[in-house]
Amino acid sequence: MAEIWQIIIKTNTLNFILVLLLLIFLISKLNIKQKIENARNDIKNYVEESENEKQKAKEALQNIENQIKNLPAELDDIKKSTANSVKSIEEKIKNDLVSQKQDIENNAARLFNLETRKFKENLTNLLSLKSIEIAQNNALKQLSADKNLHSKYIDSAIAEIDRIEL
């Protein structure tokens, strides 16, 4: 056995055994197996999360592609809706303008009739005043020219008063 011991000492076998024992001791004390398992599980979870995110990204991409495919139809709907809205607003404005035009025409006609009546009244009053003035001047001329007419007019006025029954 001494020879084996000498061989072990002269060769690196003892060193190898010591390092191996030290490694086994460290692995058992530091719990490296558990740490490697935890790291493996973390990597596995990271890969699974990455796969899930990749799947979600694919679904989002598909949704966006579907929206892009539907975009021309949506644009057509928006254009039609806008055209209908513009037509509705145009009709409303047109109807409002026609109504306002009719109101203005009615008001203008009413004002014209009112002013015509006022003008006729003023003209009638002016003509009446002028007629009275002319009649008065004419009567004064006739009375100045013929003094007998004055008595005749007084008699005629008295006859008219008698005829009126009070």
Side-chain angles (χ1 to χ4, degrees), residues 97-113:
L97 287 175
V98 167
S99 175
Q100 288 177 353
K101 179 183 173 188
Q102 187 63 42
D103 289 345
I104 290 170
E105 287 174 353
N106 291 342
N107 287 339
R110 195 173 74 242
L111 284 174
F112 179 75
N113 290 337

Side-chain angles (χ1 to χ4, degrees), residues 1-165:
M1 177 131 170
E3 285 181 18
I4 294 178
W5 187 249
Q6 283 296 328
I7 293 175
I8 291 176
I9 292 177
K10 288 185 180 178
T11 64
N12 284 330
T13 311
L14 181 64
N15 289 340
F16 177 74
I17 293 172
L18 286 175
V19 169
L20 186 62
L21 288 174
L22 181 65
L23 281 177
I24 292 171
F25 176 76
L26 287 176
I27 288 174
S28 67
K29 280 294 186 187
L30 296 177
N31 203 6
I32 292 180
K33 182 178 179 182
Q34 183 63 36
K35 289 183 181 178
I36 290 173
E37 186 65 31
N38 289 343
R40 191 174 138 229
N41 287 338
D42 288 345
I43 292 170
K44 183 179 176 184
N45 289 337
Y46 179 75
V47 169
E48 287 175 359
E49 286 177 19
S50 296
E51 287 294 325
N52 289 337
E53 288 182 19
K54 179 181 174 183
Q55 185 62 30
K56 288 178 183 178
K58 282 182 181 180
E59 290 172 3
L61 177 64
Q62 186 64 35
N63 287 338
I64 291 171
E65 286 175 351
N66 289 339
Q67 289 176 352
I68 290 172
K69 287 178 186 176
N70 294 334
L71 190 60
E74 289 178 13
L75 287 175
D76 287 341
D77 290 344
I78 291 171
K79 286 179 183 178
K80 288 177 184 175
S81 174
T82 304
N84 290 338
S85 295
V86 167
K87 285 180 183 178
S88 296
I89 292 171
E90 186 179 277
E91 268 307 307
K92 185 181 181 298
I93 290 172
K94 183 179 176 183
N95 291 338
D96 288 348
L97 287 175
V98 167
S99 175
Q100 288 177 353
K101 179 183 173 188
Q102 187 63 42
D103 289 345
I104 290 170
E105 287 174 353
N106 291 342
N107 287 339
R110 195 173 74 242
L111 284 174
F112 179 75
N113 290 337
L114 182 65
E115 291 298 320
T116 303
R117 265 190 261 134
K118 283 182 182 179
F119 177 74
K120 286 180 181 179
E121 286 176 14
N122 288 339
L123 185 60
T124 303
N125 289 339
L126 184 62
L127 288 175
S128 297
L129 289 175
K130 280 295 183 181
S131 296
I132 291 171
E133 186 180 316
I134 291 171
Q136 185 179 11
N137 288 339
N138 191 19
L140 287 175
K141 280 183 190 177
Q142 286 180 2
L143 285 173
S144 325
D146 188 9
K147 298 287 181 190
N148 290 333
L149 277 177
H150 187 66
S151 300
K152 187 177 178 183
Y153 283 143
I154 291 173
D155 291 338
S156 173
I158 290 172
E160 279 296 317
I161 290 173
D162 287 340
R163 220 172 47 145
I164 297 174
E165 294 179 17

